[in-house]
């Protein structure tokens, strides 16, 4: 888990610098009508943190396998209106939520990392896998959508 903690800490520190080096047009532009802007992607990462904080906590005490409830990602982004919110608010939210994710991970007893959760279609994974997947999901969006330069 140390690597996951270090990587999340890395993004807590570096992502604000990356965003602050971009123009308002670059962070607000939607590549197409049905694609999120870089601002909305950051909001989506906040939503992911909110949902996973709940999962990381509940898996530790709920009956196993804990059943992961999905959420409507598109609606979360729309309803919270990340597109029209000030960037610094979304960045602060990202940092605060991910500091909480780290706090939870640090405090998980090793034996609980093997606790099971049902991720859908009766596929069972461990809490440790879910935490790793959280980081992979975050880095997918950061590396493939946020950090790439738009050529428009």
């Amino acid at each position: 888990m140390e690597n996951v903690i270090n990587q999340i800490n890395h993004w807590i520190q570096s992502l604000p610098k990356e965003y602050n080096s971009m123009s308002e047009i670059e962070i607000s532009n939607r590549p197409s009508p049905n694609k999120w802007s870089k601002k909305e992607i950051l909001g989506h990462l906040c939503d992911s943190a909110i949902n996973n904080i709940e999962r990381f906590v509940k898996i530790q005490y709920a009956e196993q396998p804990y059943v992961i409830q999905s959420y409507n990602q598109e609606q979360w982004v729309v309803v919270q209106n990340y597109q029209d919110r000030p960037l610094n608010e979304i960045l602060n939210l990202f940092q605060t939520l991910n500091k909480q994710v780290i706090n939870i991970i640090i405090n998980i007893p090793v034996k609980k990392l093997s606790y099971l959760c049902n991720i859908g279609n009766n596929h069972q994974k461990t809490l440790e896998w879910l935490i790793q997947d959280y980081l992979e999901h975050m880095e997918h969006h950061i590396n493939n959508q946020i950090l790439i330069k738009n050529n428009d």
Side-chain angles (χ1 to χ4, degrees), residues 10 19 27 44 49 56 78 81 83 87 91 119 130 133 135:
H10 166 75
Y19 268 93
I27 64 169
H44 167 65
F56 297 165
V78 169
N81 194 27
Q83 183 70 356
L87 175 62
L91 284 169
I119 61 168
L130 195 65
D133 187 64
L135 175 63

Side-chain angles (χ1 to χ4, degrees), residues 38-56:
K38 292 178 190 250
K39 222 171 162 182
E40 290 171 312
I41 294 166
L42 182 62
H44 167 65
L45 292 178
C46 293
D47 297 342
S48 174
I50 290 166
N51 281 274
N52 280 287
I53 284 169
E54 179 180 5
R55 293 167 180 168
F56 297 165

